[in-house]
Amino acid sequence: METPKKLGTANLIFLLTFLVVIAKKVEEGAADGKLSRTEIMGIIWFALMNGGLGAVNKLSDAGQEALDLDEQEKEEINIHFKNEFDLSNEETEVLVENIFGLLLQIFSFYLKVRSMFGNKKAKEVQLKLEKLDLKKIA
């Protein structure tokens, strides 16, 4: 029996990193307790100029990768975030779990929208996602 091909983590790492960078920009902008229109437009502009459209395009692939993760790939993601954002092990785990949970919610919403328009593959993946214990994935 042939082993199924692993999907890897490239899209997942890209999308998770993108979400963290945007979250950091929002946090910086809201340091005074509020976000001005100028700050919001700056964040949107930053997102668009730094892979925002690519992130949207990678959502489906990243979601599939998330459903295909093994322990080695989870460790690869944790190491990436620890190095990229200079975090402790505990901070890295919390960050990755929170962002990963957000990604799975976005992916689930994406699948629901696609399945509403008759995409059978999206409906199948959505059902698979709903059956999973997300704590085991993250």
Side-chain angles (χ1 to χ4, degrees), residues 29-91:
D32 62 354
K34 60 183 178 198
L35 278 172
S36 69
R37 285 186 208 164
T38 304
E39 289 168 328
I40 292 170
M41 292 307 295
I43 292 167
I44 292 170
W45 180 254
F46 176 84
L48 290 174
M49 298 310 293
N50 290 284
L53 296 177
V56 172
N57 290 334
K58 292 177 187 277
L59 180 60
S60 181
D61 292 336
Q64 294 292 340
E65 288 173 2
L67 295 176
D68 186 55
L69 281 178
D70 60 24
E71 290 303 317
Q72 182 179 354
E73 290 170 328
K74 289 178 193 176
E75 185 59 27
E76 178 185 331
I77 291 169
N78 281 329
I79 289 170
H80 167 79
F81 278 89
K82 184 176 182 200
N83 294 336
E84 183 75 19
F85 297 102
D86 194 28
L87 301 170
S88 71
N89 285 338
E90 283 183 29
E91 291 172 321

Side-chain angles (χ1 to χ4, degrees), residues 2 5 20 31 38 47 56 63 73 83 86 88 99 101 111 125 133:
E2 191 176 313
K5 184 179 177 227
V20 170
T38 304
V56 172
E73 290 170 328
N83 294 336
D86 194 28
S88 71
I99 294 295
L111 291 172
V125 175
D133 179 2

Side-chain angles (χ1 to χ4, degrees), residues 86-105:
D86 194 28
L87 301 170
S88 71
N89 285 338
E90 283 183 29
E91 291 172 321
T92 302
E93 285 184 31
V94 169
L95 175 69
V96 171
E97 286 175 10
N98 289 336
I99 294 295
F100 196 78
L102 175 63
L103 170 68
L104 290 175
Q105 288 176 349

